Amino acid sequence: MENAIYQSMLSAVKLLDKQAIIANNLANISTTGFKESFDFFIKKNNQKNFDHTLDEKIKKYYNFSSGNIQSTQNNLDLIVKNNGWLVIKDSYGKEAYTKNGHLQINEQGDLTIQGHEVVGRNGAIKIPNNADIKILSNGVIEAIKKNKNRFNTVKIGSLKLVALPMNHLIQNKNGLFYINEKSNNQNIPHSENINVQSGMLEESNVNSVKNMIDMISNARQYEMNMKIISVCDQNEEYANQLFNITI
């Protein structure tokens, strides 16, 4: 009976963890470039160990498929093609990766994404005041300046675009992706094979219907485990009463 309660509690804890991930997915349905995630419990076949929970490990998977493409007609919005990623600096100055192509210019003239500095091929990218910006397909950023009756373009920087090893990507609590410690390739170089297209944004790839169905299913399984624990507790109480009567 105690084993049934123990197993039901373990199952309930796992379901709560899954619910947290699903809730995070649903909360980011409208987050540009968001990639939904899943947790899988992997079991090892070890008959010598009677506690099967010790043979389980949790592995997180990410759905890296593209979300829907939204046209914005904004020169500072872009999508990264060919499974490429944009590079930004997190709050600790470490390189991180994102699919969010909603670029902005802060008061200091830095090119940013969600407040994080965008990494260029040759360092930080500074945008001149009141400059009209054009981003080419190869990531080169040009400022369009009017000189009398003529328009001149000046290159002011170039985006660092990278191709990442998908099997070694992990997502931090800040929503950004990093290369995990198991990968030997920590410094990802710029890739010439990746292109961008401005005036568009990639939406979140969260499947709202599937996540809602999974949430309902997990909630029902959780209730079932709680019912099992309640029944076992009642049976133990009845058994104690019978034991007291016989004594």
Side-chain angles (χ1 to χ4, degrees), residues 36 41 77 89 97 107 117 127 159 163 166 224-225 233:
E36 65 179 345
F41 294 89
D77 290 339
K89 285 186 178 181
Y97 311 99
E107 295 179 354
E117 180 185 325
I127 307 298
L159 298 171
M166 299 301 185
M224 181 181 66
N225 282 283
D233 187 57

Side-chain angles (χ1 to χ4, degrees), residues 1-37:
M1 189 177 297
E2 291 181 356
N3 184 59
I5 295 176
Y6 176 68
Q7 294 297 333
S8 295
M9 282 300 299
L10 286 177
S11 178
V13 170
K14 294 175 185 176
L15 289 168
L16 286 176
D17 291 339
K18 288 184 177 181
Q19 289 292 69
I21 292 173
I22 294 173
N24 184 60
N25 288 338
L26 291 173
N28 285 280
I29 287 179
S30 59
T31 301
T32 302
F34 181 82
K35 302 300 178 185
E36 65 179 345
S37 59

Side-chain angles (χ1 to χ4, degrees), residues 36-92:
E36 65 179 345
S37 59
F38 310 92
D39 267 1
F40 286 92
F41 294 89
I42 303 174
K43 283 191 175 183
K44 301 177 183 178
N45 294 324
N46 186 359
Q47 297 180 355
K48 295 181 181 180
N49 193 345
F50 295 100
D51 186 359
H52 298 294
T53 60
L54 299 178
D55 295 329
E56 292 182 345
K57 66 176 182 178
I58 302 174
K59 185 171 179 61
K60 178 162 283 189
Y61 290 89
Y62 302 98
N63 176 11
F64 289 117
S65 64
S66 298
N68 294 328
I69 304 301
Q70 175 189 7
S71 176
T72 65
Q73 305 300 319
N74 184 347
N75 289 340
L76 287 178
D77 290 339
L78 58 84
I79 59 172
V80 190
K81 299 181 178 180
N82 312 110
N83 297 320
W85 295 73
L86 291 164
V87 186
I88 60 178
K89 285 186 178 181
D90 64 13
S91 56
Y92 299 100

Side-chain angles (χ1 to χ4, degrees), residues 25-219:
N25 288 338
L26 291 173
N28 285 280
I29 287 179
S30 59
T31 301
T32 302
F34 181 82
K35 302 300 178 185
E36 65 179 345
S37 59
F38 310 92
D39 267 1
F40 286 92
F41 294 89
I42 303 174
K43 283 191 175 183
K44 301 177 183 178
N45 294 324
N46 186 359
Q47 297 180 355
K48 295 181 181 180
N49 193 345
F50 295 100
D51 186 359
H52 298 294
T53 60
L54 299 178
D55 295 329
E56 292 182 345
K57 66 176 182 178
I58 302 174
K59 185 171 179 61
K60 178 162 283 189
Y61 290 89
Y62 302 98
N63 176 11
F64 289 117
S65 64
S66 298
N68 294 328
I69 304 301
Q70 175 189 7
S71 176
T72 65
Q73 305 300 319
N74 184 347
N75 289 340
L76 287 178
D77 290 339
L78 58 84
I79 59 172
V80 190
K81 299 181 178 180
N82 312 110
N83 297 320
W85 295 73
L86 291 164
V87 186
I88 60 178
K89 285 186 178 181
D90 64 13
S91 56
Y92 299 100
K94 185 177 180 181
E95 282 197 359
Y97 311 99
T98 181
K99 284 285 191 177
N100 186 345
H102 183 50
L103 306 177
Q104 294 179 311
I105 304 171
N106 64 15
E107 295 179 354
Q108 291 74 37
D110 298 318
L111 197 62
T112 65
I113 296 176
Q114 292 182 312
H116 300 287
E117 180 185 325
V118 175
V119 176
R121 293 185 62 178
N122 299 308
I125 302 173
K126 290 286 186 179
I127 307 298
N129 291 332
N130 302 320
D132 291 328
I133 300 302
K134 180 181 180 181
I135 302 177
L136 306 183
S137 62
N138 59 358
V140 171
I141 302 173
E142 293 181 342
I144 304 174
K145 294 184 178 181
K146 184 177 181 180
N147 185 9
K148 295 183 179 180
N149 295 326
R150 298 182 60 182
F151 290 93
N152 298 322
T153 59
V154 179
K155 179 180 176 180
I156 58 176
S158 181
L159 298 171
K160 182 178 179 181
L161 306 171
V162 297
L164 301 177
M166 299 301 185
N167 294 334
H168 294 289
L169 283 180
I170 56 173
Q171 190 177 36
N172 206 329
K173 292 181 180 179
N174 58 12
L176 304 175
F177 282 89
Y178 298 82
I179 304 295
N180 65 21
E181 297 177 353
K182 295 180 181 179
S183 174
N184 295 324
N185 194 358
Q186 296 294 324
N187 297 319
I188 306 297
H190 173 82
S191 175
E192 298 287 352
N193 298 322
I194 296 173
N195 295 320
V196 300
Q197 184 172 350
S198 62
M200 298 182 177
L201 284 177
E202 179 183 340
E203 297 178 345
S204 167
N205 70 349
V206 174
N207 186 326
S208 58
V209 175
K210 180 182 181 302
N211 278 270
M212 285 298 298
I213 292 174
D214 289 342
M215 177 172 280
I216 295 171
S217 175
N218 287 340

